[in-house]
Amino acid sequence: MLLNVSYNDKKIREKIDNEVGKPFTLKERFNMGGIGSPKLFITETSVEIQNLLILDNNLNSCNIEMRPKGIIVRFRSLLETYGLIIPFYKLTIYKGDFAIYSIYRDNYFIKVKSDTKAIQKFFKKLLDYKADNAPTSIEDL
């Protein structure tokens, strides 16, 4: 779900909370060592997101916020902030070429550079959290 999250709208906040859960508490954030990613530079996106990004001439970047049941990928275009809301059961992450991570949800995708240790460490933390909190699969029974 791609949403404009620039404004503090109660309906949009409720949609996000229903999809990926309410934000972590301060204590949980501290225990996890942070829930946000460093600045990620976008290399490629799906058509809908690309149409938003080409509206301005700024460098295309985004960041990821972890939530209890998913992630939010936020990026800016013109003076608006957009969020790609991805619950864990729809989240797919691929480690592609040399330093590229691909983040997928249905027909949306964002490919980002992962050329620093901090970015790679964040993706490892994200994948570990997803694995630890996934519901029990049939193969595990």
Side-chain angles (χ1 to χ4, degrees):
M1 168 173 31
L2 186 63
L3 297 172
N4 183 339
V5 294
S6 299
Y7 309 105
N8 194 5
D9 185 4
K10 188 176 181 182
K11 291 177 187 170
I12 291 176
R13 192 172 53 237
E14 286 175 1
K15 275 186 191 178
I16 293 170
D17 289 348
N18 288 338
E19 281 284 309
V20 294
K22 293 193 178 293
F24 288 108
T25 64
L26 192 59
K27 184 178 179 184
E28 290 170 325
R29 291 178 193 205
F30 187 74
N31 290 339
M32 292 173 69
I35 59 163
S37 72
K39 187 175 193 178
L40 304 170
F41 294 102
I42 298 172
T43 58
E44 189 180 342
T45 63
S46 57
V47 176
E48 297 89 344
I49 297 170
Q50 186 63 32
N51 288 342
L52 292 170
L53 291 173
I54 61 174
L55 295 174
D56 64 6
N57 294 325
N58 296 332
L59 190 60
N60 296 336
S61 64
C62 66
N63 70 338
I64 299 173
E65 175 192 345
M66 291 172 52
R67 291 280 184 106
K69 298 189 293 182
I71 64 170
I72 301 173
V73 181
R74 287 193 174 93
F75 58 91
R76 292 187 56 88
S77 178
L78 294 174
L79 295 175
E80 304 286 324
T81 303
Y82 293 91
L84 180 59
I85 314 322
I86 310 174
F88 282 137
Y89 68 91
K90 290 192 176 191
L91 173 65
T92 308
I93 297 177
Y94 295 109
K95 174 84 166 84
D97 296 341
F98 168 63
I100 302 286
Y101 277 99
S102 305
I103 305 163
Y104 285 86
R105 179 213 163 116
D106 300 336
N107 58 337
Y108 298 109
F109 72 88
I110 296 177
K111 294 184 180 184
V112 296
K113 280 190 222 175
S114 64
D115 50 359
T116 65
K117 292 278 187 202
I119 295 171
Q120 293 169 0
K121 186 177 173 184
F122 173 78
F123 274 102
K124 182 173 179 0
K125 181 193 322 183
L126 173 63
L127 292 171
D128 289 346
Y129 183 81
K130 178 185 175 187
D132 290 344
N133 294 294
T136 306
S137 65
I138 298 201
E139 292 84 26
D140 294 341
L141 297 177

